[in-house]
Amino acid sequence: MASELDVRARLQRAGQEHLLRFCAELAPGPRAALLAQLEPLEPEALREHCRRAAAACARPPAPAPDLAARLRPLPPERVGSASGVAPQTRRLWEEEGFHQIALNKVAVLLLAGGQGTRLGVTYPKGMYQVGLPSQKTLYQLQAERIRRVEQLAGERYGTRCTVPWYIMTSEFTLGPTAKFFKEHDFFHLDPNNVVMFEQRMLPAVTFDGRAILERKDKVAMAPDGNGGLYCALADHQVLEDMERRGVEFVHVYCVDNILVRLADPVFIGFCVLRGADCGAKVVEKASPEEPVGVVCQVDGVPQVVEYSEISPQTARLRAPGGGLLYNAGNICNHFFTRDFLQMVTREFEPLLKPHVAVKKVPYVDEEGNPVKPLEPNGIKMEKFVFDVLPFAKNFVAFQVLRGEEFSPLKNADSAERDNPSTARRALLAQHHQWALQAGAHFLDAHGARLPEQPSPPGSGEPPAICEISPLVSYSGEADLASHPEPRDWIPGHHDLLVSRDWRCTCKAGSSSPRSSWTWTWPGHCRPDSLLDLPAPGSPRLRTQPRPGLQGGKQAALSFWLQNMDHRRRQVCSSCPSRPGS
């Protein structure tokens, strides 16, 4: 490790010697930790980073004066649609995607380096529960979608296949994420196929260009944005690992979208058949003012233009059909070929321009007292994953329906949108619709059918709360869809959960997994409230609820299941109670 004298000399060259102003007060351990943190910072790079941050922040955010004249929507030949296409074309895309997955040529890459500050939590977003009946976290939902898409591809082509899961973390999220995955047995994925790696960190900077000291013995650091992916791929030889596995296509996505379809075969197949080296899923903007970037062209080159860079007049422009002219909203959901990623890491990453994020950064004052600012006081410089779009030789966009594939979790419930409640409702509304499409009917406590129309966006909970495990259905496909017999679900005032995975939740019991199809009322999630479903071919199941349900309601559940893989569920050996019905 470099000596204090060496580190001080390097900081003097960078104009940041103030970072050592409390060094003499520190005990040997904290002093060594501070020097170890400062040692890797190259003087010239640190000086330039601080200078660029202050200069960029000093420029008022405003649309470039000539941007409107240079802006164009993407040409139709570069855009595909998941819904506005003939069914046979969609099937062709899906089949190609499944084929590539079955050949072990597809990987998914999760961007999970950010903190849940706006969400109001101190742990990684992927560990968050939005309040589903199953109490599953975002990480678990995503892991189970990987397992399901592997299963679907394997069944189609009669092979065992693997979709490796690469997870980019940061200094803040690596430890908790790794621990969480180990505690949950990697959600039954092979740990060798879950590869975590860490992105770089950059010092936070004051408005006058000074790196911020968070504590006397620690510089305030921040992840370098999700565009730090490209440096991290090179730092940790991730692309070399992909090459050894035979991966050619990579689906990159952000952790906070509860509806994300990992390794989506339709998207993968569309991009592969178009010969794309880079692709982006987009949704139609909800309004001109919606704060999402727009995927478009600038000077004929594809890129994402941030909403703050587009003037209100341009944002409100209409296409001949009446919709917004610039309506392709970016949702941080991308397709890349491995060859393209290699080209970016080798040639283009140094050309990416960092973006300014003004944040509240804890610091120590001149007397060494810790301060938690009430107003933004620092600059974090970030790169974005979509900054590489202009370097693509064949970029395509793929439009999907918002209600099917995009509901981000960014804010606490106190916010009006993009919060845990909106995310939960989006997923449950989707599952309610899947059940209807599979032929299910929902009845109220009196036996009358509930409305079968999907709930309008933002209208609250769906008519009946039904959660379907990703292990049962990836995107609405389900075994029961092929059976014409009537299927009535009567949840009454209680939630319904359909799942093929079960863990005994009693405190005394084992957490070893069991395979089953189960119903449960989440308010009574002890093992003795889970109901076994009938074995294949058995008659319609009709069970009476446990006594003491909320409000004294006595509702019945009825459901028809045939020809399904079913094994009677067993509780753990030390469970204090037995399932009842």
Side-chain angles (χ1 to χ4, degrees):
M1 187 178 72
S3 68
E4 179 183 340
L5 191 61
D6 291 336
V7 171
R8 189 176 297 276
R10 292 160 64 89
L11 291 177
Q12 285 176 336
R13 287 162 54 195
Q16 303 293 324
E17 190 181 0
H18 66 281
L19 296 175
L20 287 176
R21 65 185 186 272
F22 299 110
C23 191
E25 303 176 17
L26 299 175
R31 182 186 300 120
L34 177 61
L35 295 177
Q37 186 186 28
L38 292 169
E39 183 181 4
L41 301 178
E42 292 293 335
E44 289 73 19
L46 178 59
R47 175 188 290 275
E48 182 63 13
H49 167 71
C50 295
R51 185 197 65 79
R52 290 175 67 179
C57 187
R59 292 192 295 269
D66 59 343
L67 180 62
R70 301 159 55 205
L71 206 62
R72 295 289 183 275
L74 291 172
E77 62 270 19
R78 285 188 178 267
V79 184
S81 172
S83 57
V85 68
Q88 59 269 28
T89 302
R90 181 186 170 93
R91 285 194 294 270
L92 181 67
W93 294 340
E94 183 179 55
E95 196 61 38
E96 178 64 22
F98 276 127
H99 184 220
Q100 298 299 333
I101 292 169
L103 292 174
N104 297 308
K105 292 186 176 182
V106 177
V108 292
L109 197 156
L110 166 61
L111 305 173
Q115 298 170 274
T117 307
R118 287 164 58 188
L119 187 57
V121 297
T122 58
Y123 51 83
K125 278 187 185 179
M127 295 163 55
Y128 194 86
Q129 297 182 21
V130 300
L132 294 173
S134 66
Q135 301 181 35
K136 290 179 180 178
T137 61
L138 296 181
Y139 280 149
Q140 182 171 354
L141 292 171
Q142 293 167 20
E144 291 180 354
R145 286 173 189 150
I146 292 175
R147 291 170 58 191
R148 178 63 174 169
V149 81
E150 289 175 339
Q151 177 191 0
L152 292 172
E155 289 173 350
R156 286 185 182 230
Y157 288 93
T159 185
R160 290 181 61 87
C161 55
T162 297
V163 175
W165 195 7
Y166 295 89
I167 304 177
M168 185 179 78
T169 63
S170 69
E171 174 185 303
F172 303 122
T173 63
L174 176 58
T177 297
K179 180 181 178 184
F180 190 74
F181 271 69
K182 289 177 182 177
E183 289 174 347
H184 291 81
D185 195 24
F186 287 81
F187 306 104
H188 309 302
L189 292 168
D190 184 344
N192 294 321
N193 297 325
V194 180
V195 180
M196 299 183 192
F197 60 102
E198 193 172 347
Q199 68 185 109
R200 294 181 182 180
M201 304 288 285
L202 295 172
V205 181
T206 62
F207 298 142
D208 58 356
R210 289 161 57 89
I212 295 175
L213 203 58
E214 180 179 343
R215 299 193 310 256
K216 291 182 178 182
D217 61 346
K218 187 178 187 300
V219 180
M221 305 288 281
D224 54 356
N226 57 33
L229 168 67
Y230 307 110
C231 281
L233 291 175
D235 291 344
H236 301 281
Q237 293 81 50
V238 174
L239 295 176
E240 288 79 359
D241 183 82
M242 290 182 181
E243 185 174 14
R244 286 191 295 270
R245 296 172 184 264
V247 169
E248 295 185 13
F249 310 110
V250 186
H251 179 206
V252 177
Y253 69 100
C254 196
V255 68
D256 58 12
N257 179 10
I258 197 170
L259 300 181
V260 64
R261 296 182 180 179
L262 288 81
D264 178 9
V266 180
F267 182 42
I268 298 293
F270 167 76
C271 293
V272 171
L273 291 176
R274 287 291 185 93
D277 55 356
C278 175
K281 277 191 179 183
V282 298
V283 296
E284 184 175 357
K285 285 190 66 175
S287 68
E289 298 77 24
E290 184 181 13
V292 296
V294 173
V295 182
C296 57
Q297 288 187 333
V298 178
D299 298 329
V301 177
Q303 67 181 69
V304 174
V305 178
E306 285 295 278
Y307 63 92
S308 59
E309 299 173 340
I310 301 178
S311 69
Q313 295 79 7
T314 301
R316 287 194 290 265
L317 291 176
R318 297 282 171 175
L324 292 175
L325 183 63
Y326 299 104
N327 72 339
N330 175 51
I331 60 173
C332 194
N333 193 314
H334 298 283
F335 166 93
F336 298 116
T337 64
R338 179 172 52 81
D339 289 343
F340 177 72
L341 291 174
Q342 286 177 329
M343 183 174 62
V344 169
T345 59
R346 293 170 182 170
E347 301 178 31
F348 299 127
E349 198 286 329
L351 304 179
L352 302 182
K353 295 181 180 179
H355 305 260
V356 172
V358 178
K359 305 281 187 178
K360 291 183 284 188
V361 182
Y363 67 98
V364 291
D365 61 21
E366 292 305 315
E367 286 72 42
N369 302 310
V371 179
K372 289 190 175 182
L374 300 178
E375 299 294 334
N377 64 311
I379 308 162
K380 296 181 180 181
M381 299 295 284
E382 304 173 329
K383 294 179 180 179
F384 296 153
V385 68
F386 57 70
D387 288 336
V388 301
L389 268 59
F391 305 118
K393 294 179 180 177
N394 187 14
F395 170 79
V396 295
F398 191 65
Q399 190 168 68
V400 297
L401 296 178
R402 182 186 297 258
E404 292 183 358
E405 298 201 37
F406 184 57
S407 182
L409 175 63
K410 296 186 179 298
N411 306 309
D413 259 326
S414 55
E416 292 185 4
R417 50 175 294 156
D418 299 344
N419 60 46
S421 294
T422 58
R424 180 183 65 255
R425 288 197 295 263
L427 187 68
L428 294 178
Q430 181 183 73
H431 290 181
H432 174 254
Q433 185 61 22
W434 287 358
L436 295 177
Q437 292 170 353
H441 307 302
F442 289 86
L443 311 181
D444 65 18
H446 304 289
R449 278 196 189 182
L450 295 171
E452 297 194 356
Q453 294 78 20
S455 303
S459 62
E461 306 288 354
I465 296 177
C466 165
E467 182 187 357
I468 301 174
S469 167
L471 299 173
V472 173
S473 184
Y474 173 82
S475 60
E477 82 294 332
D479 300 37
L480 63 156
S482 62
H483 300 290
E485 295 87 352
R487 291 169 290 277
D488 293 342
W489 293 2
I490 315 178
H493 296 273
H494 305 283
D495 299 335
L496 169 68
L497 167 67
V498 180
S499 175
R500 294 185 72 173
D501 244 17
W502 175 81
R503 288 173 176 269
C504 187
T505 56
C506 72
K507 292 182 179 179
S510 162
S511 62
S512 58
R514 300 288 185 266
S515 175
S516 69
W517 292 78
T518 61
W519 300 71
T520 179
W521 292 291
H524 304 267
C525 277
R526 300 184 306 278
D528 63 345
S529 68
L530 294 173
L531 308 178
D532 284 328
L533 296 179
S538 60
R540 170 172 165 173
L541 173 72
R542 189 171 185 86
T543 63
Q544 294 301 318
R546 299 173 67 253
L549 294 179
Q550 181 180 354
K553 300 290 184 180
Q554 292 296 306
L557 294 174
S558 58
F559 190 63
W560 192 306
L561 280 176
Q562 291 189 359
N563 303 319
M564 286 193 173
D565 174 25
H566 172 78
R567 283 178 257 169
R568 291 191 63 80
R569 178 175 48 77
Q570 300 294 324
V571 297
C572 67
S573 58
S574 54
C575 185
S577 54
R578 302 293 300 175
S581 62

